[in-house]
Amino acid sequence: MRSVTKDNITEVFTAYFGEDTDPRVREVLGALARHIHDFAREVKLTHEEWQVGIDFLTRAGDITTPERHEFVLLSDVLGLSSLVDMLHSREDATSSSVLGPFHVSNPPPLEIGGDMKRDFEGEVLLVEGTVRDTEGNPIPGAEIDIWQTAPNGLYSSQDPDQDIHSFHGLMKADENGRYAFTTVRPVSYTVPDDGPVGDILRAAGRHPWRPSHLHYIVSAKGFRNLVTEVFPDDDPYLDEDTVFGVRSDLVMTYEPQPAGSFPEGFALSGQVAEAYSRVEFDLVLAAD
Amino acid sequence: MRSVTKDNITEVFTAYFGEDTDPRVREVLGALARHIHDFAREVKLTHEEWQVGIDFLTRAGDITTPERHEFVLLSDVLGLSSLVDMLHSREDATSSSVLGPFHVSNPPPLEIGGDMKRDFEGEVLLVEGTVRDTEGNPIPGAEIDIWQTAPNGLYSSQDPDQDIHSFHGLMKADENGRYAFTTVRPVSYTVPDDGPVGDILRAAGRHPWRPSHLHYIVSAKGFRNLVTEVFPDDDPYLDEDTVFGVRSDLVMTYEPQPAGSFPEGFALSGQVAEAYSRVEFDLVLAAD
């Protein structure tokens, strides 16, 4: 168009699409451009602010490595990652929540009743539950991929003092869909805030904390993969998770258990004399 | 919020702002998040599409260097750069248009009537005009920073065969606000499309061409800087500039002039026997 204006530029953008453009590309890219244009018009974005945005993206690119995912973190703190999760969450299944960047491929096998705490300091947490379908039937043999931070607040890939499989485990539910393991209670931690996303958080007066959580990916043949997290109901950051990951059905009570009451059937049975905590977290999968 | 949903996430985002947040940061970041959320909800963005976006940004970061500005190019082909220009353009002044990434600092001085063509092949183009205020009064001594592609379609910073100041010049208008110089007619060219932004263009069925143009930055004390371009009215890409830079008042006729008619008062006077072209482009600055 030889006369682009601030009011017709979205139409001009749409007019430039090739006739053979994939309809979904046209829909997504067209909507993206329209919302970006509407945003700029609405706030009357200045050149200086535009430059701040370009510099931000450039710095985010500079800090990004295979281990440091600044664009994912940006999406996380803007709430986009959580929104994409929720858009495809099934209401009759367990809510999905953010995958985050700390999952590892090939997690080590973990037997039912196995232990991830090993020699780390901290209170034992016993986690158990059942994997079910939306009608309440157990899903035998469902695969449960679990990971969390060490007590220092770091995931294995962030921490040179942990081996890469530390606090990662892959469990197969039993014939009743039951899973169970011991670990150490995960801690609240901060997302990496030493880069440009940290600058956004500071500019917005936000902290970088996430409430403590255990990550899960649950999969079973004929069911949709469930990527989720479980949170304790007494975490101070529960109402202000910087990545918007908390859903009401993912908040559980971690029940304190008296000293001497640790049950049989666990790798740690007979070794835990002190008080521990227990959380029950059932996982409901939607059919594929 | 311990119960983030796909419908309340924008309100939750707003609720996370610190009380002392700068009002403009709150306005811009709040609107950005709202539009990103609306975009994702509207197209029901999938995890796979989100991953395509993350991969795109990561690749754009990887290809970005001090000479290669992939995020600027992204903004350009989405129409955002042009929109920001137009949002702050004054209706009674010459339209602004995209700066682009090829301006150099410290351009070499160019006398009135001076020449930028030097030994490059191609038809001589004589460019002249007057810098005026919005009431029609000339602005003596206005500074005019001019740059363009060589006949091979490359700017000096892209082309190892040109020195960095090739086709760049800084002119001071005379006491009547007049400027004039000779050059070679710039050519239509493609924006760099060998990176992720090129993939967007291909997915959208778009070409990477820009109509030929001369770049200007015009400045004078008491006036707003004008960043603009001038386009010939016979360029085949005038109605489909891939960066949305064309405005109707920036399109001029490049008048063919007969052989032997080259005027006096130019560095090339007496040296141009053949036909040449002439364009008159006045520049109207808004008061600061």
Side-chain angles (χ1 to χ4, degrees):
Chain A
M1 299 271 174
R2 77 186 59 192
S3 193
V4 179
T5 69
K6 67 181 190 300
D7 301 309
N8 76 5
I9 192 164
T10 308
E11 292 156 59
V12 174
F13 183 92
T14 305
Y16 281 1
F17 277 118
E19 281 181 28
D20 297 337
T21 306
D22 176 87
R24 180 64 177 168
V25 169
R26 184 186 287 259
E27 179 183 11
V28 173
L29 209 50
L32 181 65
R34 175 161 38 79
H35 280 290
I36 288 174
H37 296 169
D38 284 348
F39 157 69
R41 273 189 291 256
E42 182 181 318
V43 303
K44 216 176 169 193
L45 195 71
T46 68
H47 281 101
E48 293 72 22
E49 290 163 344
W50 174 88
Q51 189 64 54
V52 168
I54 295 294
D55 292 346
F56 171 87
L57 292 168
T58 304
R59 290 170 56 219
D62 287 346
I63 207 171
T64 293
T65 65
E67 287 77 40
R68 172 76 183 242
H69 304 265
E70 198 74 0
F71 293 113
V72 174
L73 187 61
L74 173 64
S75 167
D76 291 350
V77 305
L78 289 178
L80 177 62
S81 312
S82 272
L83 178 53
V84 170
D85 279 337
M86 291 187 290
L87 284 169
H88 302 279
S89 211
R90 281 271 298 263
E91 287 191 10
D92 49 357
T94 298
S95 293
S96 61
S97 185
V98 287
L99 172 65
F102 300 117
H103 181 244
V104 298
S105 46
N106 301 315
L110 186 64
E111 296 296 312
I112 295 173
D115 175 59
M116 294 204 303
K117 179 176 184 291
R118 298 189 289 176
D119 295 329
F120 285 85
E121 290 296 312
E123 191 188 70
V124 170
L125 175 66
L126 189 162
V127 186
E128 58 188 330
T130 302
V131 185
R132 292 188 280 107
D133 66 20
T134 54
E135 322 228 292
N137 305 306
I139 305 178
E143 276 206 337
I144 305 159
D145 186 347
I146 307 143
W147 69 105
Q148 67 169 78
T149 53
N152 65 358
L154 295 176
Y155 288 92
S156 60
S157 63
Q158 301 175 291
D159 188 354
D161 292 339
Q162 292 180 64
D163 78 80
I164 192 67
H165 284 155
S166 165
F167 291 107
H168 288 266
L170 183 65
M171 183 170 289
K172 212 183 220 352
D174 72 11
E175 67 280 8
N176 300 311
R178 182 173 168 272
Y179 76 94
F181 61 95
T182 50
T183 183
V184 69
R185 193 176 168 128
V187 294
S188 317
Y189 64 85
T190 58
V191 298
D193 67 344
D194 58 339
V197 171
D199 292 342
I200 287 188
L201 293 176
R202 282 180 286 278
R206 280 169 56 178
H207 64 66
W209 287 92
R210 294 211 64 199
S212 75
H213 53 272
L214 282 155
H215 288 278
Y216 287 76
I217 299 176
V218 191
S219 50
K221 205 171 166 184
F223 295 90
R224 288 174 59 176
N225 273 12
L226 172 67
V227 178
T228 193
E229 306 175 279
V230 60
F231 303 90
D233 61 3
D234 58 354
D235 192 285
Y237 298 106
L238 204 60
D239 286 314
E240 43 191 58
D241 180 0
T242 201
V243 307
F244 305 86
V246 182
R247 322 274 176 259
S248 50
D249 64 319
L250 307 182
V251 178
M252 298 287 154
T253 303
Y254 288 23
E255 301 278 2
Q257 307 293 320
S261 68
F262 194 83
E264 292 303 306
F266 284 81
L268 293 188
S269 299
Q271 299 174 48
V272 182
E274 62 272 31
Y276 67 100
S277 286
R278 179 182 173 281
V279 58
E280 188 152 338
F281 184 46
D282 288 352
L283 297 146
V284 180
L285 303 191
D288 202 2
Chain B
M1 299 275 171
R2 79 186 59 194
S3 193
V4 179
T5 69
K6 68 182 191 298
D7 300 310
N8 76 5
I9 192 165
T10 308
E11 291 156 59
V12 174
F13 184 91
T14 305
Y16 281 1
F17 277 119
E19 282 180 26
D20 298 337
T21 305
D22 176 88
R24 180 64 177 167
V25 169
R26 185 187 286 263
E27 179 183 10
V28 173
L29 209 51
L32 181 65
R34 175 161 37 79
H35 281 290
I36 288 174
H37 296 170
D38 285 348
F39 157 70
R41 273 188 291 257
E42 182 181 320
V43 303
K44 216 174 170 194
L45 195 71
T46 68
H47 281 101
E48 293 73 21
E49 290 163 343
W50 175 88
Q51 189 62 54
V52 168
I54 295 294
D55 292 346
F56 172 88
L57 292 168
T58 304
R59 289 171 56 218
D62 287 346
I63 206 171
T64 293
T65 66
E67 287 77 40
R68 172 76 183 246
H69 303 265
E70 198 74 0
F71 293 113
V72 174
L73 186 61
L74 173 64
S75 167
D76 291 351
V77 305
L78 289 178
L80 177 63
S81 311
S82 273
L83 178 54
V84 170
D85 281 336
M86 291 187 290
L87 284 169
H88 302 279
S89 211
R90 282 270 297 264
E91 287 194 6
D92 50 356
T94 298
S95 293
S96 61
S97 185
V98 286
L99 173 65
F102 301 117
H103 181 245
V104 298
S105 46
N106 301 315
L110 185 64
E111 297 296 312
I112 295 172
D115 175 61
M116 293 204 305
K117 179 176 184 290
R118 299 189 289 177
D119 295 329
F120 284 85
E121 291 295 313
E123 190 188 68
V124 170
L125 175 67
L126 190 162
V127 186
E128 57 188 331
T130 302
V131 185
R132 294 189 279 105
D133 66 19
T134 55
E135 320 230 291
N137 304 305
I139 305 177
E143 276 204 337
I144 304 159
D145 187 346
I146 307 143
W147 69 104
Q148 67 170 78
T149 53
N152 65 358
L154 296 176
Y155 288 92
S156 60
S157 63
Q158 300 175 291
D159 187 357
D161 293 338
Q162 293 179 64
D163 77 82
I164 190 69
H165 284 154
S166 165
F167 291 108
H168 288 266
L170 184 65
M171 183 169 289
K172 211 184 224 343
D174 71 12
E175 66 279 12
N176 299 313
R178 182 174 167 271
Y179 76 93
F181 60 95
T182 49
T183 184
V184 69
R185 193 176 168 128
V187 294
S188 317
Y189 65 83
T190 58
V191 298
D193 67 343
D194 56 340
V197 172
D199 292 342
I200 287 188
L201 293 177
R202 281 179 286 278
R206 281 170 56 179
H207 63 66
W209 286 91
R210 294 211 62 199
S212 75
H213 54 271
L214 281 154
H215 288 279
Y216 287 76
I217 299 176
V218 191
S219 50
K221 208 174 163 182
F223 295 89
R224 288 174 57 177
N225 275 12
L226 172 66
V227 178
T228 193
E229 307 175 278
V230 59
F231 303 89
D233 62 3
D234 58 353
D235 193 286
Y237 298 106
L238 204 60
D239 288 314
E240 43 191 58
D241 180 359
T242 200
V243 308
F244 305 86
V246 181
R247 322 275 175 260
S248 49
D249 65 320
L250 306 181
V251 179
M252 297 289 154
T253 303
Y254 288 23
E255 300 278 1
Q257 307 292 320
S261 69
F262 194 83
E264 292 304 305
F266 283 81
L268 293 188
S269 299
Q271 299 175 49
V272 182
E274 59 273 29
Y276 67 100
S277 285
R278 178 183 174 280
V279 59
E280 189 154 337
F281 184 47
D282 289 352
L283 297 146
V284 180
L285 303 192
D288 202 1

